[in-house]
Amino acid sequence: MTTTPRHENKTALVTGGSRGIGRAISRRLAREGALVAVHYGHDRTAAERTVREIEDDGGRAFPVHAELGVPGDADTLWETFDQALSAQDAQLGLDILVNNAGTNLPRPLQAVTEADYERVFAINTKAPFFIIQRALDRLRDGGRIVNISSVATRVAFPPIAAYTMTKAALDYLTLALAQELGPRGITVNSVAPGYTETEINPTLSIPEIRQRYSEASVFGRLGAPADIADVVSFVASDDARWVTGQWIDASGGVHLGV
């Protein structure tokens, strides 16, 4: 008996798809049969490495470059995507959009400047908004939009208040879009990681903080990027066709107790 990969004949775009959680998502979707556009903003080497890893595993992928958080970023991304996709043996259009790219702002309220605030919102909130807006003519009926949120939107964590606000805004966009796009059979969901082993959180190199974050999960460990990627792959699949407008906790049960 053989099984068909759940994303066979699908085309996916993963923003920030070259490193950390995005890299794991790109590899997971490709392993399930998707042709994956691996978006990157600055690190071309990382994007090429991720594409090579996917190809070495028997999958298909290609890099897409566009700096986010600058004027015209969404248009640049889609123009680059269209050009790169036309070089592939694939039908034009898109089936899965994963808005993963983001930046952190680990500063207390008193230390956040207007420039800090504007930058984190430009990358984490404004860019996904217009990426989705420009994607709607490309996204096929029955498609999937997955926004990467954060478990921090459900708990009080003042040291990253500005960052968390960007993700809370994305959560609302998920809810609104789910209703708007439902008639087209398109699902829209948020997946919320908790403390995860990625380079976006440099404090994990401090043993005391690493231990505290690990102990926050009911499983007593940090999340791995693959833990998040597996959830995204499910939400992006036909198995999740009846799930939309949801905020899905993929944190390993952090802060369930007092």
Side-chain angles (χ1 to χ4, degrees), residues 47-129:
E48 291 176 343
R49 177 199 64 196
T50 300
V51 169
R52 186 168 57 252
E53 290 171 343
I54 288 172
E55 293 174 341
D56 288 345
D57 289 339
R60 294 195 302 153
F62 58 94
V64 172
H65 173 252
E67 182 180 356
L68 301 186
V70 298
D73 51 6
D75 289 329
T76 298
L77 185 149
W78 287 117
E79 288 169 8
T80 305
F81 171 86
D82 290 342
Q83 292 172 5
L85 184 62
S86 67
Q88 306 293 317
D89 183 19
Q91 182 182 0
L92 296 180
L94 186 72
D95 301 286
I96 301 167
L97 171 61
V98 181
N99 287 300
N100 167 76
T103 187
N104 201 353
L105 187 59
R107 299 181 189 174
L109 182 77
Q110 297 88 336
V112 175
T113 67
E114 288 190 23
D116 292 333
Y117 183 94
E118 290 171 359
R119 180 173 183 273
V120 73
F121 267 87
I123 295 173
N124 293 6
T125 307
K126 182 180 177 181
F129 182 96

Side-chain angles (χ1 to χ4, degrees), residues 66-239:
E67 182 180 356
L68 301 186
V70 298
D73 51 6
D75 289 329
T76 298
L77 185 149
W78 287 117
E79 288 169 8
T80 305
F81 171 86
D82 290 342
Q83 292 172 5
L85 184 62
S86 67
Q88 306 293 317
D89 183 19
Q91 182 182 0
L92 296 180
L94 186 72
D95 301 286
I96 301 167
L97 171 61
V98 181
N99 287 300
N100 167 76
T103 187
N104 201 353
L105 187 59
R107 299 181 189 174
L109 182 77
Q110 297 88 336
V112 175
T113 67
E114 288 190 23
D116 292 333
Y117 183 94
E118 290 171 359
R119 180 173 183 273
V120 73
F121 267 87
I123 295 173
N124 293 6
T125 307
K126 182 180 177 181
F129 182 96
F130 287 102
I131 287 171
I132 293 171
Q133 182 193 74
R134 306 295 202 271
L136 294 181
D137 290 339
R138 295 171 173 85
L139 191 62
R140 284 184 270 273
D141 290 354
R144 303 284 184 263
I145 298 174
V146 184
N147 296 320
I148 304 303
S149 180
S150 170
V151 75
T153 64
R154 296 299 190 271
V155 298
F157 198 54
I160 56 169
Y163 163 83
T164 304
M165 288 170 65
T166 69
K167 294 298 186 177
L170 202 57
D171 290 345
Y172 176 76
L173 181 60
T174 292
L175 192 64
L177 284 172
Q179 183 167 8
E180 180 176 349
L181 300 179
R184 292 181 54 191
I186 296 171
T187 69
V188 189
N189 292 287
S190 290
V191 172
Y195 301 118
T196 309
E197 188 92 61
T198 68
E199 61 270 22
I200 197 173
N201 192 349
T203 60
L204 292 178
S205 62
I206 302 172
E208 296 80 6
I209 293 180
R210 185 182 184 87
Q211 180 178 354
R212 184 163 73 249
Y213 287 177
S214 297
E215 292 174 348
S217 165
V218 298
F219 301 117
R221 68 169 176 86
L222 295 172
D227 295 325
I228 315 306
D230 289 349
V231 177
V232 172
S233 181
F234 164 72
V235 173
S237 75
D238 189 57
D239 292 337

